[in-house]
Amino acid sequence: MATVDPNYVEVTEFEVWNISEFLESIKNHLYLKEDIYSIMLRGESQKYTTRLASIFRGRNSFSHLSKMLDLFHRDTHNLFTTHDQEALMALGQHYGLKTQLLDITNQPLTALYFAVNDESNANDSQLYNGYIYTFDSFFELNLSDILPLNKPISLNDLFLDSPEITKKLISKISTSTTLCMGANFGVILNEIQSSLQALPTNLRYFLGGAPLRIYQLLEALESYISTPEAYDEESNLPCRYLITNELVKEDFESVFNLLNIDLEDSTLEVQLATIYVSLCSLILSDLSKVRLKNQEIDSNILTFLPNFYYRPVLDDNRLNLQKGFFFVQLPLLSLGRIQYIQNIPESYTFIIPKEAKLYISKELELLGINQKTIYGDPDHIANYINNAFENNDIY
């Protein structure tokens, strides 16, 4: 039997100097997943502290986003189909509007292109190392089927303010193959407990008895699903009627009634998803009521929440060329003020030394990957031709 080295530390950062090294690292560490859509990468031409959507940077404010989208729609509605306008925020993001979306791709070489090129600061691109981040797909959830992204969205919208949206969220979670509630429910409970323990002491004090109540619920759930009789002998998964346990039913039956979910007829996955969303709602509701002088809730703490992504089906040529989609960065609001911004933690980081950027750019060019093919619009095609003649790279 193989033993685990107690001194083993997993390496999560890799330096790559050419395309061959990069693809080999991707192969070794992402295991060439069968589902290409489960691979999520983002390329950045220099080092940033966090992956933060543009509306949360600088002077732009999330409170302005609704008006910004209205103005974008007013001035561009004749350029897009009615279908595409349902994903107005995605369109705005791709054409430079500051939004709560963060661009990602499932194509490694597309991410590499953005790591070695900076369209907004082309002259400075070679002064900094480039970075490619990959994201673990275990806790991601697609928002595309839950609601159209044509207006701002917050954690409040999903978990607190709209029973109709919350019910759609539960349905989506219950059928998610990445969350897989039946198999991973114990892991999720542990994640919730770890997040609560990581809250600052002063914040737990302000929350009063709420964490204690949640701990009691977690203990009841963990105690129940850990007993042998709670498991089906064939599947080794929790039995179908987990919710009939009295300790659990007492706290969650009202939630099922509110969302009009039938306890007796609902499947195990729906029951577990409802409990999970209820716990999230309870925690977020308490946190949204705390008055903080500054945003004191660390963005790395609430790790039990899914990372939400958005994959709209659009006719947009640029989106299709880049095999692009988006993470949706969600804030938690209190009286319109941001309490917390959901972080998107990366799993692996590939560093492109600044000295290697020019060489890798030429390698990408040989493979037909450049601003002409990445963007595909007249502006970038014209700029590509200009650069080719200025640099005597006549093609």
Side-chain angles (χ1 to χ4, degrees):
M1 173 184 269
T3 58
V4 177
D5 183 351
N7 298 316
Y8 171 76
V9 177
E10 183 182 12
V11 177
T12 58
E13 287 192 354
F14 307 91
E15 190 174 84
V16 293
W17 288 81
N18 53 57
I19 288 180
S20 178
E21 286 184 3
F22 174 59
L23 293 180
E24 187 65 23
S25 293
I26 289 287
K27 176 183 176 181
N28 291 337
H29 300 287
L30 296 186
Y31 308 109
L32 287 181
K33 298 181 181 181
E34 292 182 10
D35 180 10
I36 186 66
Y37 291 104
S38 67
I39 298 175
M40 300 180 180
L41 309 101
R42 176 175 171 81
E44 297 182 353
S45 60
Q46 58 182 288
K47 181 74 171 180
Y48 298 101
T49 306
T50 60
R51 320 283 75 74
L52 194 64
S54 55
I55 197 64
F56 301 116
R57 305 177 209 153
R59 296 180 60 187
N60 286 278
S61 167
F62 184 77
S63 62
H64 298 152
L65 181 54
S66 180
K67 181 64 174 177
M68 292 166 68
L69 288 170
D70 287 344
L71 292 172
F72 182 74
H73 177 258
R74 184 196 68 183
D75 294 339
T76 65
H77 69 275
N78 60 321
L79 303 177
F80 305 116
T81 65
T82 302
H83 168 74
D84 281 4
Q85 289 177 46
E86 285 295 306
L88 184 67
M89 195 185 303
L91 289 173
Q93 172 73 10
H94 257 293
Y95 288 97
L97 190 72
K98 293 185 182 297
T99 74
Q100 65 184 114
L101 303 180
L102 202 63
D103 293 276
I104 52 176
T105 179
N106 54 43
Q107 292 293 323
L109 294 184
T110 297
L112 183 60
Y113 173 85
F114 285 106
V116 300
N117 292 279
D118 187 344
E119 298 293 333
S120 59
N121 296 290
N123 294 330
D124 293 339
S125 179
Q126 309 301 322
L127 300 179
Y128 307 99
N129 293 342
Y131 295 83
I132 295 170
Y133 302 98
T134 69
F135 305 92
D136 193 341
S137 62
F138 172 75
F139 237 62
E140 267 89 38
L141 196 69
N142 190 350
L143 273 181
S144 306
D145 301 328
I146 299 177
L147 74 173
L149 226 64
N150 50 18
K151 61 181 181 179
I153 182 173
S154 66
L155 289 167
N156 306 62
D157 296 316
L158 288 176
F159 291 96
L160 303 178
D161 297 340
S162 173
E164 181 181 349
I165 292 178
T166 302
K167 189 172 182 179
K168 289 182 180 179
L169 178 63
I170 289 170
S171 176
K172 185 70 178 177
I173 289 174
S174 69
T175 58
S176 169
T177 56
T178 57
L179 283 177
C180 194
M181 297 301 295
N184 295 313
F185 195 65
V187 175
I188 292 169
L189 293 181
N190 289 334
E191 203 67 47
I192 293 175
Q193 194 154 11
S194 297
S195 291
L196 288 174
Q197 291 169 346
L199 286 172
T201 305
N202 65 324
L203 194 52
R204 278 185 278 176
Y205 171 79
F206 282 123
L207 290 176
L212 177 60
R213 179 187 167 205
I214 294 169
Y215 283 140
Q216 291 170 340
L217 291 174
L218 291 174
E219 286 179 6
L221 287 166
E222 287 184 309
S223 173
Y224 183 69
I225 67 171
S226 64
T227 56
E229 60 268 23
Y231 285 81
D232 180 89
E233 292 182 1
E234 293 184 5
S235 66
N236 200 35
L237 294 177
C239 290
R240 184 170 185 272
Y241 294 114
L242 169 68
I243 196 67
T244 57
N245 174 267
E246 292 304 317
L247 287 172
V248 178
K249 186 175 180 180
E250 182 179 346
D251 271 281
F252 292 105
E253 191 168 20
S254 61
V255 177
F256 278 76
N257 293 336
L258 175 66
L259 298 172
N260 196 27
I261 295 174
D262 193 318
L263 271 174
E264 298 303 321
D265 291 336
S266 59
T267 64
L268 166 72
E269 288 74 18
V270 170
Q271 292 178 10
L272 295 177
T274 304
I275 292 172
Y276 165 64
V277 170
S278 301
L279 287 168
C280 293
S281 301
L282 179 61
I283 296 168
L284 293 173
S285 176
D286 287 329
L287 290 176
S288 71
K289 295 171 185 174
V290 178
R291 298 300 300 272
L292 302 172
K293 293 181 179 179
N294 299 300
Q295 185 187 319
E296 294 183 35
I297 309 173
D298 190 292
S299 60
N300 294 307
I301 286 181
L302 303 187
T303 54
F304 57 87
L305 295 172
N307 289 325
F308 294 97
Y309 68 92
Y310 189 60
R311 194 190 296 273
V313 179
L314 299 176
D315 297 325
D316 182 72
N317 188 46
R318 181 188 294 188
L319 190 69
N320 294 328
L321 286 172
Q322 297 176 12
K323 299 294 187 292
F325 54 113
F326 312 93
F327 275 129
V328 187
Q329 221 158 6
L330 300 176
L332 177 65
L333 305 177
S334 175
L335 300 176
R337 177 182 174 276
I338 293 177
Q339 293 275 77
Y340 165 82
I341 300 174
Q342 190 177 15
N343 189 33
I344 303 168
E346 58 271 4
S347 51
Y348 294 105
T349 302
F350 299 92
I351 303 171
I352 316 299
K354 59 186 179 183
E355 297 86 355
K357 280 187 171 183
L358 183 59
Y359 178 76
I360 292 177
S361 292
K362 291 180 177 180
E363 284 190 306
L364 290 170
E365 178 68 50
L366 288 173
L367 296 174
I369 299 172
N370 50 52
Q371 64 171 311
K372 179 178 68 172
T373 57
I374 283 287
Y375 292 97
D377 58 55
D379 289 347
H380 285 90
I381 292 173
N383 194 50
Y384 175 81
I385 294 172
N386 288 338
N387 290 338
F389 275 83
E390 286 176 8
N391 299 323
N392 294 318
D393 294 331
I394 312 302
Y395 67 100

